[in-house]
Structure formats: structure tokens, C-alpha cells
Amino acid sequence: TERIAQSLADIGSIQRKMEMYEESNETLKELFSLQEDLSDSAGAAKTLSQIGSNYIALGEGEEAVSALTESAERAKEEGNTKLALAALEDLSDFYADAEVYDEAIQVYEEILNIAMEDGVPDQVTDALRQLGRLQRKAGQFSDSNDTLSELLVLQEETEDRPGQVGTLTLLAANYADLGDIRTANAMLDRSTEVALSIDDVEQAVDAYQAKADLFHDLAQYAQEVEQYAAAIRIASQAGEWTLAAGSAETMGRRLNKELRRTDDAIDAYRQSADFHRRAGDGAAETDALRGKRAKRLFKTMPHPTYSEVFRNVEIVYKKNTADKKETTVIHRHVMANLHDS
């Protein structure tokens, strides 16, 4: 009988991997019935969790909720915390994907309680992080801040600095949505400081970009550009050319559209192209030079500058493509634009 149960479990698992969810559930229900006859409560709890996951894939929400809820209850009765948490996480994810955030939050509050009773720090921090994110998605910014502040304390106690960076960024977003820009800015400053202390350039750049977004929303465009400049400086010093290129391109857009600083915008686009070249991304380098925004800007400049830029485009494009036909097309495009200018 145990061999039959194992065979059914294996078949159900294979069918699920093959995305044969209905067939998998038929197999797993047969297994569940056998486990009930054998009084194998732990096995039955695991099977119910798998059945619930299949129902989610099939889009059958009511059946999924029923199976996952029963799986979690049975797992708790058996003292199987790991399985109970897994079933509840699947249940919360289902509610979150359906944007039923109140239910998702309620489930994660149960997860947090179980994790705290279990006394495993990683489980507690994970639960707090996910709960804070769900509360944010639900628009419960103050509740989310309470949860994330509790998480931040734990991360500081355990010296989890990478975790602190993400938490501080989320807190900043909440404060911004609450209209407390000063505190949001302070949180992002702390996030940047911690990120740089562990040489996490990507997170530091993200924090500067988040600060730039804050200033953009306040229509403080000069301060916004300063944040992009800081992001470029940090990324380029670390040799993170793709990150630097992205910030340079966005800065170019802001300089052009909001601040009307055409010369500086052109320099930013050129800088973006140079960073892409350093990153070995020829296609992106070409795009940066011949993009619509750049072309519109360069047309405002005297003929030599415009001519120079489009000749650069031609050179870069030839360098980065082996397609002679495409090179001919861009050559004609360059000549036409030079003629128009």
C-alpha cells in the first residue's frame, strides 16, 4: 500500500510538471483517499497543498482556498510548521494575485504568528517583509510602516544591511504616499548610506533614482537632475556602465523636457552612448545616438554638431552590425538628415 501511495505521489508530481493539472488532481485525490484510509495525516496535508496549487493553476479559486486552508490546519495539528507555512503562503499569494488584499493580509498575519511561535528569525523577517509589502499594496501605508519599522529593528539587530536597504526604500515610498516628503527623503538617504557601506552600487543607484522621483513629483526638476548625476557618478566609478547609462538617458530627458537645457541634454545622451560602449552594448550605444529624442535635440544645434552626431551614428552602426543592407539603410538616413539640416 505504501508503494502504491508513493507511485501515485510520483505520478501526480510528474503530471503537474507537465502542466496536466486536472489529471494531476485526479491522481492526487486518489492518493489523498488512500492516505485517509492509512490515517496518514501528515501525508494527507501535503497532498491537499499540492491539490490546492493545481486548483490555482486551473483558476478554480474556491476549491484552491478550501484545499490550502485544510492543508494548513492539518499541518498545524501535526506540528509540521514548514508545511503549514508553505500552504498559507500559497493561499496568501492566491489572494494577492486576485487583489483581495484584506484576505491576503489576514493570512500573512497568521503566518507571522506561526513564525514568531516557531522562533526562527529568518521566518519572522520574511513574514514581516511580505506583510509590509501587502499592506502597502492595499494602500494601508501607516500599517505598512509599523510592520516595516519592526522589521528594520530586527535587521539592525542581526546586522542584515542588505535587508535594511530594501526596507528603508519601502518605508520611503510609504512616507511619500502619505505626503511626508521630508521623512521619505531621510529614509532614502539612509538607504543610500547603507548600500554604499556594503558596496551595493545597484541598490544605491535605485535609492538615488527614488529620490529623483520624489523631486519630479514635486516639480523640483533641478534637484531631480542632481540625484541622477549622483547615481551616474557612483555607477561609473564602480564600472557599472549599464546602470550609469540608464541614469544618463533619464537625466537627458529631464534636462530637455522640463528644464529646456538643450546643450546639457545632448551631453547626457552622448554620455549614455559612451557608457553603453564601455559596457559592450553596441545596439544600445547606437540607439542612444540615433534615438528620436536625441535626433530632435541635435536638430536644434548648428549644422556641424548635427553632422558630427549623425556621422558618429553611422560609424557606430557599422561597427555593431554585420548586416550590409541595414548599414546601407542607416547610411541613407544619415545623408538625408544632413541634407535636411
Side-chain angles (χ1 to χ4, degrees), residues 76-100:
K76 284 189 289 184
E77 290 173 2
E78 291 295 316
N80 190 334
T81 302
K82 183 177 180 180
L83 178 57
L85 290 173
L88 290 170
E89 286 170 1
D90 284 344
L91 182 58
S92 181
D93 289 345
F94 166 74
Y95 282 130
D97 289 342
E99 298 185 359
V100 186

Side-chain angles (χ1 to χ4, degrees), residues 225 228 232 241-242 244-278 281-301 305 308-310 312-313 316:
V225 166
Y228 285 117
I232 292 167
W241 305 118
T242 300
S247 293
E249 183 175 350
T250 306
M251 185 170 74
R253 290 200 298 270
R254 299 293 180 256
L255 286 165
N256 177 42
K257 184 177 179 181
E258 279 81 15
L259 294 175
R260 305 296 182 186
R261 288 161 51 182
T262 304
D263 289 352
D264 291 337
I266 290 172
D267 288 342
Y269 282 118
R270 282 175 170 158
Q271 191 177 38
S272 176
D274 179 59
F275 290 145
H276 282 305
R277 178 184 60 76
R278 291 169 182 258
D281 191 343
E285 179 189 1
T286 303
D287 288 342
L289 284 172
R290 69 185 179 103
K292 290 182 179 178
R293 296 187 191 88
K295 285 189 290 187
R296 283 200 301 270
L297 284 173
F298 294 132
K299 273 197 169 184
T300 68
M301 302 301 291
T305 302
E308 171 199 349
V309 169
F310 272 90
N312 284 343
V313 173
V316 171

Side-chain angles (χ1 to χ4, degrees), residues 1-109:
T1 304
E2 290 180 359
R3 288 183 179 178
I4 294 173
Q6 185 59 54
S7 295
L8 289 170
D10 292 341
I11 293 169
S13 178
I14 291 170
Q15 289 169 323
R16 174 168 173 76
K17 289 179 181 178
M18 295 176 66
E19 298 184 0
M20 300 167 59
Y21 301 116
E22 291 183 357
E23 294 83 350
S24 177
N25 265 1
E26 289 176 6
T27 303
L28 293 173
K29 286 176 182 178
E30 185 178 350
L31 171 60
F32 176 74
S33 179
L34 180 58
Q35 290 167 329
E36 289 280 82
D37 292 341
L38 295 171
S39 299
D40 181 7
S41 297
K46 181 178 179 180
T47 301
L48 281 167
S49 179
Q50 294 169 334
I51 290 172
S53 296
N54 282 340
Y55 275 131
I56 289 176
L58 290 167
E60 299 181 22
E62 188 174 341
E63 291 81 357
V65 169
S66 176
L68 291 171
T69 300
E70 186 176 352
S71 172
E73 291 301 321
R74 286 178 177 242
K76 284 189 289 184
E77 290 173 2
E78 291 295 316
N80 190 334
T81 302
K82 183 177 180 180
L83 178 57
L85 290 173
L88 290 170
E89 286 170 1
D90 284 344
L91 182 58
S92 181
D93 289 345
F94 166 74
Y95 282 130
D97 289 342
E99 298 185 359
V100 186
Y101 294 119
D102 287 345
E103 294 291 346
I105 289 168
Q106 185 175 341
V107 174
Y108 242 100
E109 286 172 342

Side-chain angles (χ1 to χ4, degrees), residues 3-4 6 26 75 80 86 147 178 183 214 216 218 240 260 263 267 294 306 320-321 334:
R3 288 183 179 178
I4 294 173
Q6 185 59 54
E26 289 176 6
N80 190 334
T147 301
L178 289 167
T183 304
L214 285 180
H216 183 80
L218 295 170
E240 294 289 348
R260 305 296 182 186
D263 289 352
D267 288 342
Y306 188 56
N320 292 317
T321 181
V334 169

Side-chain angles (χ1 to χ4, degrees), residues 109-335:
E109 286 172 342
E110 183 177 355
I111 290 172
L112 177 59
N113 289 333
I114 293 173
M116 294 180 74
E117 289 175 4
D118 207 36
V120 179
D122 287 346
Q123 290 178 345
V124 175
T125 55
D126 285 345
L128 286 169
R129 183 182 300 108
Q130 294 301 325
L131 179 57
R133 286 175 175 169
L134 283 171
Q135 290 166 327
R136 171 166 172 72
K137 286 183 178 180
Q140 301 174 11
F141 303 121
S142 294
D143 290 341
S144 178
N145 273 354
D146 290 341
T147 301
L148 293 172
S149 295
E150 185 177 350
L151 170 61
L152 185 61
V153 170
L154 289 177
Q155 290 169 330
E156 289 172 342
E157 289 176 351
T158 58
E159 298 184 355
D160 176 13
R161 288 189 287 179
Q164 292 173 38
V165 175
T167 302
L168 286 164
T169 302
L170 282 172
L171 282 164
N174 282 340
Y175 279 115
D177 286 326
L178 289 167
D180 189 348
I181 303 302
R182 178 176 294 181
T183 304
N185 208 12
M187 290 291 172
L188 288 171
D189 284 340
R190 287 178 61 188
S191 178
T192 304
E193 182 181 348
V194 176
L196 291 175
S197 74
I198 55 175
D199 296 324
D200 191 334
V201 176
E202 184 173 356
Q203 292 260 44
V205 168
D206 285 347
Y208 275 120
Q209 290 176 340
K211 285 187 68 175
D213 289 341
L214 285 180
F215 287 122
H216 183 80
D217 291 341
L218 295 170
Q220 297 178 6
Y221 303 121
Q223 292 90 329
E224 177 188 7
V225 166
E226 288 176 5
Q227 305 310 312
Y228 285 117
I232 292 167
R233 183 176 64 256
I234 290 171
S236 59
Q237 287 174 350
E240 294 289 348
W241 305 118
T242 300
L243 289 175
S247 293
E249 183 175 350
T250 306
M251 185 170 74
R253 290 200 298 270
R254 299 293 180 256
L255 286 165
N256 177 42
K257 184 177 179 181
E258 279 81 15
L259 294 175
R260 305 296 182 186
R261 288 161 51 182
T262 304
D263 289 352
D264 291 337
I266 290 172
D267 288 342
Y269 282 118
R270 282 175 170 158
Q271 191 177 38
S272 176
D274 179 59
F275 290 145
H276 282 305
R277 178 184 60 76
R278 291 169 182 258
D281 191 343
E285 179 189 1
T286 303
D287 288 342
L289 284 172
R290 69 185 179 103
K292 290 182 179 178
R293 296 187 191 88
K295 285 189 290 187
R296 283 200 301 270
L297 284 173
F298 294 132
K299 273 197 169 184
T300 68
M301 302 301 291
H303 181 278
T305 302
Y306 188 56
S307 173
E308 171 199 349
V309 169
F310 272 90
R311 285 200 176 96
N312 284 343
V313 173
E314 184 182 21
I315 292 168
V316 171
Y317 200 79
K318 284 181 177 179
K319 181 182 68 177
N320 292 317
T321 181
D323 190 330
K324 293 182 179 179
K325 182 179 178 181
E326 288 296 320
T327 303
T328 301
V329 171
I330 192 65
H331 177 82
R332 290 175 180 169
H333 178 69
V334 169
M335 292 302 106

